[in-house]
Amino acid sequence: MKADEVEFVAEIARAAAGLEVEREKVYLIESRLAPVARREGFGSIREMLLSARQRREEKLLWAVVEAMAQSETSFFRDPAVFTRIREEILPQLAVRRPEGQPIRIWSVGCGPGQEAYSLALAVEEAGAAVLACGVDVLGSDLSERALEKAQAGVYTQFEVQRGLPIRQLIRHFEKRDELWTLSPRLRSMLRWRRANLNAEVRGLGRFDLILCRYVLAGMTDESRGRAMRQLAASLLPGGYLVLGLQDPDELAPKGLVRLDGGVYRLKPAERAAA
Amino acid sequence: MRTCLVVDDSRVIRKVARRIVEDMGFEVAEAGDGVEALAWCRASMPDAILLDWNMPGMDGIDFLRQLRRERGGEAPTVVFCTVENDVDRIREALECGAAEYIMKPFDSDIVQSKFALADLL
């Protein structure tokens, strides 16, 4: 790729999704875009970018942006986080919870769904008190393609062998041909929505637990500020925000109490004086 | 240093698996089938066993059943590593005492993930 092509990609990724593209990592940009060019029927990245530039075609521009936003994912990434959610955070949220108010969880930047489904699996094993409350899990991502895959809940043999215990695989998935499909019951716990943290996120409501891992680090300072404000504003009183274990601390939104291990909490509501 | 016995009738697979398991800090021994693996275990029980299913002579599941009857044979953590990927087979392996299960083909990420899930790391 030539410098002006890299610049074009970096610019549309910044404008659309607030991504900070590392311009010197040309090989990385190429490895992201080559499959998109193939899929969209272009002979090369150069041809695809030329077309995107000349015609400003929305769909193609987004395909490029989404490819730049992609990141690695696996079931139960950083397993200690999920143990903590199961054993500590969910039971805490279930305490003295008014009836008819399910625990609301949001997986931000859920990609093809592994994180959101890992949350659903953690809920399954969090005990009767948590299950009795009812739990809604929402997965959101920039990419419609990723969300379609998430919604289908169909994974390759390679994908189900990264992070997922074998007992959970055979309990919750059905094997068809060489692919593994999540049970309808588990899939029914989740909803999926396209959301862009760089724009105003509307209509999702507020949450008891938000996971936003390895998303903020890839954003420009300006977009990250906007994203963090939106995340903080999306927490219910007493709600938790979980960042990636390797996400730097300074990414955390202001006004939250910092616990350890990338976990932050909004103070519970003050009780009204009697 | 903790020890791992790699059991597979393919020399190439043993070699690939050996490198991955050594990189995780295990001392590795190799066996080409269940009989050979059993001889190893009788001489010295390993901490972990990476176990193929289909092998000439004694296969992996027969080896595992036999192992669990040996003195000290309940100790090793067994991770299957096989082309068998039917749910019934997986269930059978778990019932016989396997801790985790790898479906071939595998790479180092998968082996590492499965060893972690089996509490071996």
Side-chain angles (χ1 to χ4, degrees), chain A residues 91-250:
Chain A
Q92 170 73 41
L93 288 168
V95 170
R96 269 174 276 140
R97 193 170 191 86
E99 209 171 307
Q101 278 183 28
I103 297 174
R104 301 196 71 225
I105 306 178
W106 181 16
S107 164
V108 182
C110 67
Q114 285 95 327
E115 180 180 272
Y117 284 122
S118 302
L119 284 164
L121 290 167
V123 167
E124 283 279 298
E125 300 191 339
V130 169
L131 286 172
C133 297
V135 180
D136 290 333
V137 182
L138 173 72
S140 78
D141 201 86
L142 268 182
S143 163
E144 291 282 5
R145 284 176 62 82
L147 290 173
E148 275 168 27
K149 173 162 169 125
Q151 186 146 29
V154 180
Y155 296 94
T156 65
Q157 183 165 294
F158 184 79
E159 289 165 330
V160 298
Q161 297 205 83
R162 300 186 67 192
L164 186 67
I166 193 72
R167 285 179 177 77
Q168 299 217 21
L169 177 68
I170 63 173
R171 191 179 313 141
H172 297 291
F173 290 70
E174 191 186 319
K175 183 173 159 243
R176 268 183 231 138
D177 302 320
E178 298 303 301
L179 295 171
W180 296 82
T181 306
L182 266 151
S183 70
R185 196 178 54 81
L186 212 69
R187 271 185 288 149
S188 72
M189 284 175 64
L190 291 101
R191 289 179 307 124
W192 309 95
R193 272 282 295 275
R194 187 173 177 283
N196 181 359
L197 281 184
N198 192 45
E200 201 179 330
V201 177
R202 286 170 187 271
L204 300 185
R206 297 210 285 168
F207 296 87
D208 298 290
L209 170 60
I210 300 176
L211 270 75
C212 183
R213 305 190 304 156
Y214 310 111
V215 172
L216 297 171
M219 299 181 94
T220 63
D221 289 345
E222 187 196 349
S223 301
R224 187 186 301 137
R226 187 180 307 139
M228 292 192 303
R229 282 192 296 279
Q230 300 208 67
L231 290 176
S234 301
L235 278 177
L236 287 161
Y240 294 84
L241 171 67
V242 179
L243 301 183
L245 270 185
Q246 286 138 44
D247 277 334
D249 265 338
E250 58 268 24

Side-chain angles (χ1 to χ4, degrees), chain A residues 46-64:
Chain A
R46 155 173 289 274
E47 275 178 35
M48 171 175 71
L49 293 180
L50 211 60
S51 175
R53 254 164 137 161
Q54 282 166 352
R55 293 189 283 147
R56 307 296 302 180
E57 196 191 313
E58 249 340 81
K59 191 172 147 282
L60 192 53
L61 291 171
W62 267 108
V64 170

